Amino acid sequence: MNTATETTVAHASTSDSAPLYADVVFDRPLDHAYSYAVPDELRSRVGVGKRVECSFGRGDKGTVGYVIRVTDSAPLREVKPLSKVIDDDALLDDELLKLTRWMADYYLCGWGQVLSAVLPAGVRDKAGTREVVFVEPMPKDKLPKFFPTVTAKQKQVLDLVKKATEPMEQAVLAKAAGVSVGIVSGLVGKGLLRKFSERVERLPAGLVEMDLASRVSDDTGATPPNPSVDTLGSPFDMNADQLRAWEPIRAAVEAGGFKPFLLYGVTGSGKTELYLQAIERVVKQGKEAIVLVPEISLTPQTIERFRGRCGRVAVLHSNLTDAERATYWRQIAAGKVQVVVGARSAVFAPTRNLGLIVIDEEHETSFKQESTPRYHARDVAVMRARLANVPILLGSATPSLESWQAAVDASYTILNLPSRVENRPMPKVQLVDLKHEPKTPGKFYAIGATLEHGIREAVKAGGQVILLLNRRGYSTHVHCPACGHVAQCIHCDLGLTFHRTKAALLCHHCGWDTPPITKCPKCGDPAVRYQGFGTEKLQAELEEKFPAFVIQRMDSDTTSKAGSHRRILDAFKEGLIHVLLGTQMIAKGLDFPNVTLVGVVNADVGLHLPDFRAAERTFQILAQVAGRAGRGEKGGKVMVQTYTPEHPCIALAAKHDYGSFAKLELAFRKEHQYPPYQRLARVIVRSEKEQAANDFAETLAGGFKQAVARQSKPGEPPAVRVLGPAECPVFKLQDYYRFHFQLQAENSGVLHAVLREVLTIAKPSGGVEYQVDVDPYSMM
Ligand code: ADP
Ligand code: ZN
C-alpha cells in the first residue's frame, strides 16, 4: 500500500516552498476531478488515495472527496483550499487507483463513485479499531526539576509503570493498580508520566475463532513464512490431464507477467486442485493470491479446502459486519494474509504483492454487480491482472461465451480437463418429456411417474437425491379464472408468489407482501386459483409421496438464519437427509459422493425469458446440477423433466456437450449481433412519473441520433445501433416507470464515445434518473 504515498512525498519534497495542489474526485456520476490548493499546514498530510474535506457544489458545503493527484503545477483558475485531510494513510495504492480509474471510464460512472463503492464502509469510518490512550514514564530530561509529592495511590501506579517494559494502556494500568483513571491523569498533570493515543485493531468477536486472527494477532506485521505450505501439499498425484494443464500454469506463475488462462474442465475434473497448486507456488514466492468464487459457492466445504492448503486465508463473504470486513482489509493491506477468497468485491482486496488471480465458475452472472458501478468482477479481475502484471486463471465447466470466444481468438490460453478424476464417468442424463408423462386425474404434480420411481429406487439402494427447482415459494401464479385478474405487486409489474410458511403473497423483487386472497379483488369471484410450483409446494408433494423419507428444502427462505446453510449441508453429508430439494443454491459446487440421483423438476424455467442469454443460462444450470451426481464410487444419474427435450440447450446439456452448444449458440449470437460479437450497453430512464420518464427518454433519443451521426462515416451504416426508447420488459419496478435503450456496436470505443457525449450533457429534470449499464446482464 505504499506506492501512492511515496509518490506524493517524493513530489512534495522536490520543491519545499512551491504551492501544492490536489485533484479531488467526488461520489457523483460522470464527473471530472476538481483542483484545490493545499494549505501549508496540510502539506505533510495530503496524499494520493486519501480522503479530504473541501467546499464543493451548491452552498460550498464541506464535502468528502478522494485525492487522485498531488501536483505543484498551478491550475489555470483560482482554486479554493482544502479544509481537512481525513486519512492518515492512503486507502488505496497505485494499482487500485488505476483499476478504479479504468472502471469509471469503462462503466461510465464517476471515479469517486467507484472509490466509494470499492472501499468497504468500515474502512472509511475505521470500524474495528479503537482509539486507545497509552501512558509511559516521562523521559529523564523532561522530568520536573523538583520531584512533586505523590499520594499513596499514585505511588502504586508509578511502581507498576516502572516495572512495565512498554507503554501501558491507561485504563489497563489504572485497573491493575486498583485506582481510578483520574489518579493516572493526576500523574500526567504532575509531569511524571506522559500520555499519547493510538488507534489499535479491535478484532471483532466473529474473527477470533478463525485461523486468520489467531495466527496473525501475535506477529509483528512482517510477511511471515507460511508454515503450512511445505507440510500440507496435495493429498494425491495429479493425473495426466492435470499435469498437461499444470505445466503452462506453473511456467506462468514462475515467470510472472500477465497471462490469462481459460481452464475448461467438466465438473469434478480437478480444476480446484490446479488452483490450489498454483496458489501454493505463489505463496512460496512470498506473494498473494485472490480467489473469486460465486457467493453461493462460498460453502464451508470450499472454504475448508483453501484453509487446509493455503495457510493464512481471509474469506470475504456478504455476511461480514463492517468491522470484520475492515479488519480483513487492513490485515490484507498489511501483508498478513496470503490468500483472499471471496465473492465479487474480493477483486478489490488491497494485497501488497499480488501474484495470481483465480476465478472459479467464471461464467456465473452473480459476478456482475447490479448497482453503480455496474462492473463485472471477471472483467475487472482481468484488468487487475493486467495492471499487476500477473497470471489469471478463469475456470469453468461451462465457460461464458465471452471467455470462450476469447479463447477461440487466442487472447486467452485454453487448458482442457476433458474428464473426471480417476476416470469416474460423467453421469448419464435422462430427459423425461413431461408431455408424455401420465397425468393423475384431478391432481397437479410436479414430479412425474418416471422421476418418482427414480427417487424411490435411489433411496432404496442407499443413495441420496438432490432435486432442483429454481423457484421459491408455494404457488408462483395466483389468478382469477373468471376475470383473468392476476395477483400483482402494487409497486412492480410482477406477479406475486404465495408463500405458505409466511402465509403471504410476496413480491420477489421488492419484498412487498399482502395476505393471501380468497376471492378476486376485481370481480369478487371466490374461485381464485393458486397455480405454479415453487420449492415449498414441491416439498409438500414429496412429503406426501414419500412419507418415510427425510426431505429437506434449501432455498433463501430456509437459510436466512446464520449457520442454517451449514447445518443442512452437514446433515446431508452425514446421510440424515434422503432428499435435498432447493433452488440453484443446491446446483453449485457441492461435492457429496453419496448422491446417486439428481433430478431437475422443470428445465424450462427461465428458458423463455426475453433475454438473449436464456439458453446459455439454462445450459449452465443443467450442466452444473448434473455435476452434483455420481461424484463417488456408486456413480449416479440425472433425470431432467422438460416440455422441450428437443431444445438444443437441453439436448446438448444432457450429452455433456458444451463444445457443440457453444458453437451453435455463437452462431446464433453472430446472426443476431449479440455479445461476444457486439458490445452492448443499456440505458434505463426511470421516474415515478411516467410522462417525465418518457420525455427524458425522447430527449436522450435525439442526443443519441446526433452523436451516432458524428461517430459514423458518411455513406456507411451507423457505427452504433440504438434500439429504443421502449418500455422495459418489466415496465414498473418499485414504483418507477422505466424506459430503456439498447446500444450495440462492434467495439466498445465507439459505444463509449456516443454514451459519453450524450450523458455528460444530459441533465434529467426533477424526479427523473438514468442508469447506464455497460455489458448488461439483466435485460428486464
Ligand atoms: P473441479 O474443481 O473441477 O470440480 P476438484 O478439484 O474439486 O474438481 O476435484 C474433484 C474431486 O477429485 C475432489 O474431491 C478432489 O479432491 C479430487 N481430486 C482432484 N484431483 C485428483 C487427483 N489427481 N487424483 C485423485 N483425486 C483428485
Ligand atoms: Zn414489488
Side-chain angles (χ1 to χ4, degrees):
M1 293 289 289
N2 293 326
T3 9
T5 3
E6 272 161 22
T7 344
T8 359
V9 172
H11 217 244
S13 58
T14 45
S15 55
D16 275 345
S17 52
L20 276 188
Y21 302 92
D23 290 349
V24 179
V25 293
F26 298 94
D27 183 356
R28 48 192 73 201
L30 271 185
D31 216 347
H32 56 90
Y34 296 81
S35 294
Y36 288 86
V38 179
D40 280 345
E41 68 274 17
L42 295 180
R43 283 179 78 96
S44 60
R45 267 183 70 72
V46 77
V48 174
K50 293 186 184 184
R51 284 169 309 159
V52 288
E53 216 176 273
C54 34
S55 62
F56 179 73
R58 226 176 297 154
D60 270 356
K61 280 195 299 256
T63 308
V64 174
Y66 301 84
V67 178
I68 49 131
R69 193 170 80 118
V70 178
T71 171
D72 52 13
S73 54
L76 297 175
R77 267 182 285 167
E78 180 144 1
V79 295
K80 294 181 206 137
L82 291 179
S83 19
K84 193 171 150 194
V85 175
I86 300 173
D87 301 303
D88 299 333
D89 303 307
L91 298 173
L92 295 144
D93 66 5
D94 244 15
E95 186 185 304
L96 284 177
L97 278 166
K98 284 199 185 115
L99 185 70
T100 49
R101 170 67 201 265
W102 172 82
M103 287 172 68
D105 286 346
Y106 187 82
Y107 294 106
L108 291 158
C109 52
W111 192 355
Q113 281 184 309
V114 178
L115 292 172
S116 291
V118 156
L119 290 164
V123 169
R124 283 180 276 143
D125 47 14
K126 301 187 176 137
T129 66
R130 59 197 175 105
E131 191 80 22
V132 174
V133 178
F134 289 93
V135 288
E136 60 183 2
M138 189 62 86
K140 284 229 169 62
D141 56 328
K142 296 220 171 90
L143 281 170
K145 278 211 187 80
F146 303 102
F147 201 84
T149 49
V150 294
T151 65
K153 281 186 175 171
Q154 286 179 331
K155 177 96 185 15
Q156 277 165 268
V157 175
L158 283 179
D159 287 345
L160 274 176
V161 172
K162 235 180 254 167
K163 272 188 241 155
T165 51
E166 52 186 30
M168 285 179 81
E169 201 177 311
Q170 174 173 262
V172 174
L173 174 63
K175 201 165 175 207
V179 302
S180 70
V181 168
I183 305 280
V184 181
S185 295
L187 286 165
V188 175
K190 286 176 177 170
L192 297 174
L193 297 179
R194 68 176 181 187
K195 261 194 215 191
F196 63 94
S197 60
E198 209 168 80
R199 234 173 216 288
V200 301
E201 199 79 26
R202 178 210 330 252
L203 285 178
L207 291 191
V208 176
E209 325 151 12
M210 303 177 115
D211 58 354
L212 168 75
S214 59
R215 287 200 220 176
V216 297
S217 54
D218 53 356
D219 73 25
T220 52
T223 305
N226 190 338
S228 51
V229 168
D230 289 321
T231 47
L232 290 171
S234 174
F236 31 68
D237 296 328
M238 283 195 263
N239 62 33
D241 288 334
Q242 280 171 317
L243 284 171
R244 203 173 317 113
W246 169 240
E247 193 37 44
I249 300 176
R250 188 199 55 75
V253 167
E254 302 281 291
F258 173 64
K259 191 160 175 60
F261 292 100
L262 178 62
L263 180 54
Y264 161 51
V266 296
T267 50
S269 59
K271 296 185 292 297
T272 310
E273 182 55 34
L274 287 177
Y275 307 152
L276 291 166
Q277 297 273 356
I279 294 166
E280 285 176 354
R281 284 279 159 139
V282 164
V283 172
K284 267 198 195 143
Q285 296 172 345
K287 295 184 186 166
E288 297 120 28
I290 295 177
V291 183
L292 301 183
V293 300
E295 178 82 37
I296 210 168
S297 320
L298 272 175
T299 58
Q301 247 186 342
T302 316
I303 295 169
E304 272 146 33
R305 253 179 112 180
F306 284 95
R307 283 245 159 85
R309 288 275 287 282
C310 302
R312 294 156 199 243
V313 177
V315 181
L316 302 178
H317 54 81
S318 63
N319 287 337
L320 295 177
T321 63
D322 281 358
E324 287 169 335
R325 193 175 293 279
T327 301
Y328 272 140
W329 178 277
R330 284 188 297 268
Q331 288 180 335
I332 295 165
K336 296 181 182 183
V337 169
Q338 269 75 53
V339 183
V340 182
V341 181
R344 205 163 54 216
S345 64
V347 71
F348 306 113
T351 51
R352 288 206 300 197
N353 191 8
L354 187 63
L356 173 74
I357 303 181
V358 172
I359 308 177
D360 191 26
E361 314 279 6
E362 67 84 32
H363 63 274
E364 273 285 320
T365 48
S366 65
F367 284 127
K368 168 82 176 177
Q369 165 139 314
E370 292 297 352
S371 59
T372 308
R374 294 168 186 271
Y375 68 92
H376 196 299
R378 177 192 60 224
D379 302 335
V380 173
V382 171
M383 183 46 72
R384 182 160 185 190
R386 201 185 280 276
L387 291 171
N389 209 22
V390 300
I392 177 165
L393 292 177
L394 311 173
S396 176
T398 52
S400 65
L401 291 167
E402 285 82 356
S403 299
W404 187 253
Q405 185 59 31
V408 171
D409 290 348
S411 3
Y412 295 176
T413 302
I414 190 155
L415 304 170
N416 189 1
L417 297 179
S419 44
R420 286 186 161 179
V421 297
E422 300 186 311
N423 294 320
R424 285 174 207 152
M426 288 302 284
K428 224 178 113 46
V429 179
Q430 179 185 354
L431 294 179
V432 179
D433 192 338
L434 286 173
K435 295 193 292 287
H436 305 317
E437 282 293 277
K439 304 268 178 305
T440 317
K443 287 271 194 186
F444 288 99
Y445 282 128
I447 305 274
T450 313
L451 182 54
E452 180 178 340
H453 181 74
I455 296 171
R456 208 177 295 284
E457 291 302 305
V459 174
K460 217 193 272 170
Q464 286 171 292
V465 179
I466 286 182
L467 288 180
L468 171 78
L469 177 60
N470 211 2
R471 275 195 294 210
R472 54 194 191 90
Y474 195 85
S475 309
T476 52
H477 188 66
V478 179
H479 69 121
C480 168
C483 75
H485 172 78
V486 175
Q488 274 206 337
C489 177
I490 56 167
H491 304 290
C492 312
D493 286 340
L494 290 169
L496 296 171
T497 299
F498 170 55
H499 282 249
R500 197 163 71 166
T501 329
K502 293 192 179 119
L505 298 174
L506 211 65
C507 172
H508 281 182
H509 180 80
C510 73
W512 182 75
D513 64 287
T514 185
I517 46 172
T518 44
K519 63 179 195 214
C520 175
K522 215 163 162 200
C523 73
D525 195 284
V528 173
R529 263 196 212 144
Y530 283 66
Q531 282 183 333
F533 270 90
T535 44
E536 271 191 345
K537 191 155 149 191
L538 176 62
Q539 180 180 13
E541 180 179 324
L542 291 166
E543 281 162 357
E544 179 194 321
K545 286 184 166 158
F546 309 106
F549 295 178
V550 182
I551 316 275
Q552 174 70 48
R553 171 163 60 94
M554 192 161 102
D555 54 26
S556 54
D557 297 315
T558 64
T559 54
S560 54
K561 279 203 210 87
S564 46
H565 192 250
R566 184 182 193 134
R567 269 196 298 282
I568 295 175
L569 293 181
D570 282 350
F572 192 61
K573 190 174 184 178
E574 282 169 39
L576 303 175
I577 294 166
H578 296 118
V579 182
L580 180 67
L581 73 127
T583 52
Q584 55 170 339
M585 203 178 269
I586 59 161
K588 315 280 168 78
L590 304 181
D591 185 5
F592 296 108
N594 199 38
V595 172
T596 53
L597 174 66
V598 166
V600 176
V601 175
N602 186 349
D604 313 340
V605 176
L607 188 54
H608 307 294
L609 295 175
D611 181 336
F612 71 91
R613 289 193 178 88
E616 183 181 4
R617 288 196 185 133
T618 301
F619 185 92
Q620 285 163 350
I621 195 155
L622 290 178
Q624 293 295 331
V625 74
R628 302 309 115 219
R631 293 177 80 95
E633 316 274 282
K634 286 183 188 167
K637 72 173 185 175
V638 182
M639 290 175 142
V640 176
Q641 297 193 131
T642 169
Y643 284 100
T644 51
E646 67 290 343
H647 194 291
C649 77
I650 293 178
L652 291 171
K655 291 195 216 147
H656 307 291
D657 188 355
Y658 172 81
S660 301
F661 171 74
K663 214 163 165 189
L664 208 69
E665 186 63 17
L666 283 174
F668 166 82
R669 301 279 181 93
K670 194 165 202 168
E671 186 189 334
H672 295 270
Q673 302 194 320
Y674 282 126
Y677 298 102
Q678 294 259 308
R679 306 307 287 264
L680 227 58
R682 193 174 173 226
V683 177
I684 297 176
V685 175
R686 57 172 213 172
S687 170
E688 290 181 76
K689 295 195 199 81
E690 185 178 338
Q691 192 57 45
N694 192 20
D695 291 347
F696 184 64
E698 289 303 337
T699 310
L700 284 186
F704 285 136
K705 209 170 195 170
Q706 292 177 9
V708 171
R710 264 192 289 276
Q711 294 292 336
S712 310
K713 295 202 183 76
E716 282 181 24
V720 176
R721 205 151 70 111
V722 181
L723 305 174
E727 292 182 4
C728 293
V730 180
F731 183 38
K732 192 171 92 171
L733 206 57
Q734 278 174 290
D735 293 324
Y736 285 93
Y737 294 92
R738 304 151 71 240
F739 294 89
H740 68 160
F741 293 88
Q742 192 170 298
L743 284 79
Q744 283 171 284
E746 232 152 74
N747 63 67
S748 63
V750 62
L751 195 61
H752 277 92
V754 165
L755 285 164
R756 193 172 290 284
E757 181 179 334
V758 175
L759 298 175
T760 30
I761 50 167
K763 292 281 171 275
S765 54
V768 182
E769 302 164 9
Y770 69 84
Q771 304 162 339
V772 198
D773 195 351
V774 177
D775 303 332
Y777 276 69
S778 165
M779 296 295 161
M780 306 307 276

